[in-house]
Amino acid sequence: MDFWAKFQSDFYQSFVEIWTKLQHEFYQSFIEGDRWLLYIKGLGTTLLVTVLALFLGVFLGVLVAVIRSAHDQQKVGKVNPFLKILNALCRIYVTVIRGTPMMVQLLIMYFVVFSSTRNQVGVAVLAFGINSGAYVSEIIRGGIMAVDSGQMEAGRSLGFNYTTTMRLIIIPQAVKMILPSLGNELITLLKETSIVTVIGLRDLTKAAMLVQSKAYLAFMPLIAIALVYLAIVMFLTWLVEKLERRLRTSER
Amino acid sequence: MNDNTLISVNDLKKYFNGEQIKALDGVSAEIREGEVVVVIGPSGSGKSTFLRCLNLLEIPTYGHILFNNVDITDPKTDINIHRQKMGMVFQHFNLFPHMTILKNMTIAPIKVLKKSKEDAEAQAMALLKRVGLEDRANAYPSQLSGGQKQRIAIVRALCMDPKVMLFDEPTSALDPEMVGEVLDVMKQLAREGMTMVVVTHEMGFAKEVGSRVIFMDEGKIVEENDPVTLFEHPQSERLKSFLAKVL
């Protein structure tokens, strides 16, 4: 009986202790010195880099995919030398970007290529956009190849040239097919931007690291940003699914 | 060459894989305005390749094609301009699945011929009415039956006011029940004087509306005649055995 009473009281004691400690940690992690502002600003930077890099990535991706598809769809014996050079450049680009780690690319961009600038956001957008473009180009190329060849023939037989057929007929159908993969790429991109900390850019992850070093606390800041990333990814997943459903209605 | 010759094909050859496969091995033919030329022959005889060469969906290896007295096989010719005047109907319809029927029909007139949206839509609606599908203008291709899709594909090509219509086995992918409705549209078109080149297995169509029938085998034209003579009095053994099997 005595034992149980002691156990209960000990348990209660330690519960109160933990609770108080958590409260203190919470205060230190978010409230003290308006540290929550660091996270908000960091989140803003993360989203900014992600969105701008996505636009750049999709632009580069479409460009590279169209060049490579145009090259591959040429009739035998009628090879355009200009296209051949462009295609070779695109292949080198995709190979190099996919063959080296993102972090190395970012470091090279910041400390070698643009060593004279301190515009970290610009460099991050460029590095991530160029990286994403290589992956997006392969996704889009897959989508273009998956569109029935009869669609290109139908477009051409109506008098459209190659580029217009691509733009009006092939790409819209390809995009519909690759939307899940593109959504996946966006999610990967969002999470990958956390490595911009290596060039000192204050994104969401850097905010947690700053708080960690100031308050000597790891638990709350890191779990908090993990939850924020998770929430954004879940939101994006929902958004992509919704968009997909809307685009599919025309084919049912 | 006659004054009213629309397409003149001279010694056309199409090889695949170097010279291993000779899909077309020296084909010469003339298609005159207002003619309905029906091309028949066994599978692999080169009849589809011949048709697809006419608007350069296949680039001929050798030979020349004159359309409106312009050599379209010349690499310097802008084929896009000439394709506008050659409507094509495919075996698998190839409607654009992401556009409504009306958009399918008006996109080329608007973007290529620079017609106004109103004009293009009025023309499309008139054509839809002719094939009895005006109530499907805002439907998507996936909501249509095969026969309806092919009728739409025909009027989509007609929206460009072509001088000639090329049909690549237009009824081969259809349920037997739906063949009739597509052939009816084609017959109507033929009676209105449209120049047509039709690759088909429908011998009844060839007999009824064909002004000339071309029988091809192994990449060559074996026999060419008016339908009555060709079907009633075949000359070559190859055509005799072919007709014995299909009729």
Side-chain angles (χ1 to χ4, degrees):
Chain A
M1 194 63 192
D2 213 29
F3 171 77
W4 276 112
K6 187 172 183 311
F7 178 78
Q8 275 180 334
S9 125
D10 277 1
F11 186 82
Y12 179 73
Q13 195 75 43
S14 44
F15 181 78
V16 168
E17 258 172 46
I18 289 170
W19 182 244
T20 321
K21 198 172 162 234
L22 280 178
Q23 271 182 322
H24 178 69
E25 252 199 56
F26 184 86
Y27 181 80
Q28 292 255 298
S29 305
F30 304 110
I31 314 289
E32 198 182 283
D34 280 340
R35 281 180 187 152
W36 57 276
L37 266 174
L38 278 176
Y39 297 95
I40 300 290
K41 276 186 198 153
L43 178 62
T45 308
T46 293
L47 293 178
L48 182 72
V49 171
T50 306
V51 169
L52 291 182
L54 181 79
F55 280 118
L56 181 60
V58 168
F59 173 75
L60 285 174
V62 170
L63 195 70
V64 170
V66 168
I67 290 172
R68 294 202 54 190
S69 305
H71 178 267
D72 292 348
Q73 284 171 1
Q74 280 182 117
K75 308 272 178 186
V76 233
K78 270 189 84 181
V79 180
N80 183 336
F82 182 60
L83 207 52
K84 205 171 172 175
I85 294 168
L86 280 179
N87 182 59
L89 286 176
C90 290
R91 287 187 70 152
I92 292 170
Y93 162 63
V94 173
T95 309
V96 169
I97 295 299
R98 294 207 301 179
T100 52
M102 178 66 235
M103 197 196 273
V104 176
Q105 291 167 23
L106 182 64
L107 290 171
I108 290 175
M109 270 292 189
Y110 189 61
F111 293 110
V112 182
V113 182
F114 294 104
S115 55
S116 57
T117 177
R118 288 288 158 258
N119 181 356
Q120 293 156 322
V121 172
V123 172
V125 166
L126 217 54
F128 280 98
I130 288 171
N131 178 273
S132 178
Y135 290 92
V136 170
S137 78
E138 288 296 284
I139 294 172
I140 293 179
R141 208 164 64 92
I144 289 173
M145 284 195 290
V147 175
D148 179 32
S149 60
Q151 294 289 312
M152 175 56 82
E153 290 184 352
R156 297 306 301 272
S157 76
L158 285 170
F160 287 119
N161 61 28
Y162 179 87
T163 326
T164 315
T165 314
M166 268 291 175
R167 188 165 56 83
L168 296 176
I169 291 151
I170 309 296
I171 303 262
Q173 292 182 59
V175 165
K176 212 177 284 185
M177 273 189 266
I178 59 173
L179 207 62
S181 318
L182 272 185
N184 213 12
E185 175 61 24
L186 171 61
I187 287 168
T188 309
L189 187 62
L190 173 83
K191 292 182 295 178
E192 273 216 318
T193 55
S194 65
I195 64 171
V196 293
T197 50
V198 299
I199 61 167
L201 184 57
R202 293 192 174 191
D203 74 326
L204 187 59
T205 305
K206 189 74 183 178
M209 290 166 76
L210 283 171
V211 172
Q212 189 191 348
S213 61
K214 275 185 192 162
Y216 302 106
L217 291 169
F219 176 74
M220 284 259 179
L222 292 178
I223 296 295
I225 62 159
L227 288 175
V228 172
Y229 279 115
L230 182 64
I232 300 171
V233 168
M234 284 168 69
F235 170 71
L236 289 176
T237 313
W238 172 82
L239 203 68
V240 171
E241 272 172 12
K242 206 178 155 193
L243 188 63
E244 220 178 301
R245 261 200 305 272
R246 238 187 59 192
L247 286 177
R248 289 245 178 267
T249 47
S250 63
E251 280 173 30
R252 291 284 143 84
Chain B
M1 200 160 124
N2 275 316
D3 284 342
N4 60 354
T5 302
L6 192 60
I7 304 176
S8 166
V9 180
N10 190 10
D11 200 24
L12 202 63
K13 292 179 182 172
K14 175 66 183 177
Y15 300 155
F16 292 105
N17 289 343
E19 296 212 348
Q20 283 175 21
I21 301 162
K22 297 183 173 179
L24 289 180
D25 199 10
V27 172
S28 298
E30 281 196 359
I31 289 133
R32 288 177 279 276
E33 252 171 78
E35 254 191 332
V36 178
V37 177
V38 182
V39 186
I40 59 171
S43 298
S45 59
K47 55 193 192 305
S48 275
T49 309
F50 169 67
L51 190 79
R52 290 161 56 80
C53 277
L54 292 184
N55 68 350
L56 298 199
L57 283 183
E58 301 286 353
I59 311 282
T61 318
Y62 301 106
H64 294 276
I65 300 166
L66 299 185
F67 174 60
N68 270 338
N69 288 324
V70 178
D71 185 356
I72 56 170
T73 42
D74 184 342
K76 286 194 277 288
T77 310
D78 181 4
I79 185 61
N80 296 321
I81 291 167
H82 298 283
R83 279 196 184 125
Q84 294 167 20
K85 294 279 149 219
M86 304 170 129
M88 180 135 188
V89 176
F90 300 86
Q91 184 178 356
H92 296 288
F93 331 128
N94 296 348
L95 295 179
F96 307 134
H98 59 301
M99 298 174 187
T100 62
I101 298 308
L102 196 62
K103 189 89 193 290
N104 258 282
M105 295 174 67
T106 54
I107 185 161
I110 292 173
K111 302 275 178 182
V112 179
L113 302 180
K114 310 291 178 205
K115 278 194 185 177
S116 74
K117 191 163 179 268
E118 292 71 34
D119 287 356
E121 284 184 355
Q123 185 198 19
M125 286 311 293
L127 281 164
L128 277 176
K129 206 163 199 163
R130 251 179 58 179
V131 294
L133 289 171
E134 70 267 36
D135 55 330
R136 310 312 306 268
N138 292 313
Y140 283 92
S142 58
Q143 298 165 316
L144 268 53
S145 73
Q148 290 176 328
K149 279 184 205 170
Q150 196 61 301
R151 283 187 278 159
I152 297 295
I154 294 171
V155 287
R156 177 176 72 176
L158 288 177
C159 279
M160 294 294 285
D161 300 316
K163 296 201 76 167
V164 56
M165 287 283 284
L166 312 174
F167 293 83
D168 189 4
E169 303 200 23
T171 56
S172 298
L174 294 176
D175 286 347
E177 268 185 301
M178 294 168 179
V179 171
E181 62 189 68
V182 172
L183 289 181
D184 283 343
V185 173
M186 290 168 64
K187 285 174 194 165
Q188 192 192 345
L189 203 56
R191 272 184 228 111
E192 285 164 12
M194 174 62 77
T195 313
M196 293 160 68
V197 184
V198 187
V199 169
T200 187
H201 294 291
E202 295 292 329
M203 299 304 152
F205 175 82
K207 277 182 193 168
E208 195 181 328
V209 293
S211 29
R212 205 147 43 94
V213 180
I214 291 176
F215 173 67
M216 286 183 70
D217 190 34
E218 294 181 347
K220 289 189 171 87
I221 293 178
V222 178
E223 223 170 306
E224 186 179 349
N225 228 321
D226 65 278
V228 176
T229 320
L230 189 117
F231 285 113
E232 307 293 326
H233 309 287
Q235 303 296 309
S236 62
E237 285 308 311
R238 187 66 191 93
L239 178 56
K240 279 177 193 163
S241 75
F242 176 76
L243 290 177
K245 277 178 213 147
V246 296
L247 289 181

